[in-house]
Amino acid sequence: MDPVVITIFVAALVVVFLVASTVRIVPQARRYNIERFGRYRRTLQPGLNLVVPVADRINTKLDVREQVYSSDPRPVITEDNLVVNIDTVLYYQITDPRAAAYEVADYLQAIDQLTVTTLRNVIGSMDLEETLTSREEINSRLRAVLDDATGKWGIRVNRVEIKAIDPPHTIKEAMEKQMRAERDKRAAILHAEGERQAKILTAEGTRQKDILEAQGTQQAVILRADGEAKAVELVFQAVHRNNADPKVLAYKYLETLPHLAGSDNNTFWVIPGELTEAVRTVTRAFGDESAAGPAKPVPPEEEATADVGDASDDVRIPQLDAGSTVSLDAATAADEAEKQAAAAVSDAKAEAEAAKSPQIPRRGRTSGN
């Protein structure tokens, strides 16, 4: 080959090597630390950068994005001498690439060991119950200690989270039993409270029902009494407005007697002492009042001792003392009284016809002396 061609080819290779050694392209979110003859020179920013060939070289390449580091479970002793395994999750970000490369040899190992020692100091002042319920406090204290220690390393700790706290197996069983007992207790309390509320509501409903039924019965009785009172008042006004005489009243009195035994619960029937006087009034009503003369009131002594034969001639009913009772069945007594009243009315009509006829002499009333 021609020596000139060889020289040109070697020169081209040297130029390409020098250009490649001079130009450095840094990706986004990356930082390159440059050393010149073994001494830190500068940190390359993202983009196109030029360096001195052979003299400058890249020492470390760092990622400045926020990164996550998860530590392995580490045994920690609580204040009540229980060993628990705790693993943490660390969120950190490199803020100074030079310090992260030259201030600490391995920043991840340094952060891990610092997290374990700080965690043991924090957990050692808490018992198991407080450890399980104070995660926010533990995270805050860890972050404060780590952020202060890693600041000179060019690293900012954004968050520290406890991923898991694993107590011993026996403690887990005891905690499960305690939790089960608490849940059973709450269930029993809720059940008893529900039964109590149900009984209260049932009693309240029964009370309201009884009150409403009593009020309804009261209103019904009041309305029924008002209706009966108005009916009696109307009858009373009608009687007085029509000027009813004692004859009609006596006849109505006799019509009412059979209804006294209308109830099935009656075992005896009381016949009033005024029955004889009522029958005599009906007799006079259908007879000649002028011929018979006004009825004279019969004293109770004379009525009690009146002649039985004389009374049978007029009304054909037995003589009774005032207020006396007949020990007969209620229905039989009612039928007997109705028959006697009908017979008295028939005799009275017959006497009235005899009095009106001039051929037949009128039968006079004999005294019971």
Side-chain angles (χ1 to χ4, degrees):
M1 286 181 68
D2 189 1
V4 177
V5 175
I6 294 175
T7 303
I8 293 174
F9 181 72
V10 171
L13 289 178
V14 171
V15 171
V16 171
F17 175 75
L18 292 176
V19 172
S21 300
T22 302
V23 177
R24 292 289 186 269
I25 297 176
V26 180
Q28 184 66 31
R30 299 291 193 276
R31 301 292 186 272
Y32 293 171
N33 290 327
I34 302 299
E35 292 180 351
R36 180 173 294 178
F37 300 111
R39 184 187 181 91
Y40 172 76
R41 179 65 179 174
R42 64 193 177 96
T43 300
L44 299 182
Q45 301 297 323
L48 180 63
N49 295 275
L50 300 177
V51 297
V52 178
V54 180
D56 295 342
R57 71 181 183 88
I58 298 175
N59 182 25
T60 54
K61 296 179 180 181
L62 300 175
D63 190 346
V64 295
R65 294 174 298 179
E66 186 175 6
Q67 302 180 52
V68 180
Y69 175 73
S70 178
S71 64
D72 298 329
R74 300 299 177 87
V76 180
I77 301 176
T78 61
E79 186 180 12
D80 49 357
N81 298 325
L82 293 176
V83 180
V84 294
N85 294 322
I86 301 178
D87 54 341
T88 59
V89 178
L90 183 67
Y91 297 85
Y92 69 94
Q93 185 177 12
I94 297 175
T95 58
D96 189 356
R98 186 197 65 81
Y102 296 102
E103 295 295 336
V104 61
D106 188 353
Y107 61 85
L108 287 178
Q109 184 180 4
I111 291 174
D112 183 46
Q113 295 300 320
L114 183 60
T115 302
V116 172
T117 55
T118 305
L119 190 62
R120 286 175 178 173
N121 292 332
V122 174
I123 300 299
S125 61
M126 300 179 179
D127 56 9
L128 179 61
E129 191 71 23
E130 189 177 359
T131 301
L132 296 174
T133 58
S134 303
R135 292 196 175 193
E136 291 295 333
E137 182 182 355
I138 296 173
N139 295 338
S140 300
R141 294 175 65 177
L142 280 175
R143 182 184 179 279
V145 174
L146 291 175
D147 193 32
D148 182 62
T150 59
K152 62 181 179 179
W153 300 339
I155 298 174
R156 182 177 71 246
V157 177
N158 296 326
R159 296 181 64 185
V160 179
E161 296 291 340
I162 296 178
K163 186 167 60 175
I165 300 177
D166 296 328
H169 183 67
T170 56
I171 301 300
K172 287 183 178 179
E173 292 180 353
M175 293 172 62
E176 290 177 358
K177 291 180 180 179
Q178 181 182 3
M179 181 177 60
R180 191 179 303 111
E182 288 292 334
R183 289 182 177 177
D184 292 341
K185 175 184 175 182
R186 289 197 297 268
I189 292 174
L190 292 177
H191 182 70
E193 187 68 22
E195 289 184 351
R196 174 176 172 271
Q197 292 294 334
K199 290 180 180 179
I200 290 175
L201 293 177
T202 303
E204 190 68 23
T206 304
R207 174 176 172 270
Q208 292 294 334
K209 175 186 175 183
D210 294 340
I211 291 175
L212 293 177
E213 288 181 353
Q215 291 178 353
T217 304
Q218 179 186 9
Q219 293 294 330
V221 171
I222 292 175
L223 293 176
R224 191 180 299 110
D226 290 341
E228 293 178 356
K230 290 181 180 179
V232 172
E233 183 179 358
L234 291 176
V235 172
F236 183 78
Q237 292 178 358
V239 169
H240 283 272
R241 184 169 54 252
N242 296 327
N243 194 17
D245 54 3
K247 305 172 184 178
V248 177
L249 297 179
Y251 181 74
K252 298 299 292 182
Y253 182 78
L254 291 176
E255 285 184 344
T256 308
L257 289 178
H259 298 286
L260 294 178
S263 177
D264 296 336
N265 297 326
N266 291 336
T267 57
F268 64 93
W269 186 37
V270 179
I271 300 177
E274 294 84 355
L275 178 61
T276 305
E277 184 64 26
V279 174
R280 291 176 180 174
T281 304
V282 173
T283 304
R284 290 194 300 270
F286 290 96
D288 189 3
E289 187 175 0
S290 60
K296 296 181 181 180
V298 180
E301 295 80 3
E302 296 181 2
E303 184 180 0
T305 58
D307 187 6
V308 178
D310 184 31
S312 60
D313 293 336
D314 292 336
V315 295
R316 297 181 183 178
I317 60 174
Q319 184 67 29
L320 298 175
D321 294 335
S324 63
T325 60
V326 180
S327 299
L328 299 175
D329 185 74
T332 305
D335 294 338
E336 186 66 25
E338 185 177 1
K339 292 178 180 180
Q340 294 174 1
V345 172
S346 300
D347 292 343
K349 289 182 178 181
E351 291 182 1
E353 292 295 334
K356 291 179 180 180
S357 177
Q359 289 84 6
I360 301 173
R362 181 176 179 271
R363 184 177 59 183
R365 179 181 302 272
T366 59
S367 60
N369 293 332

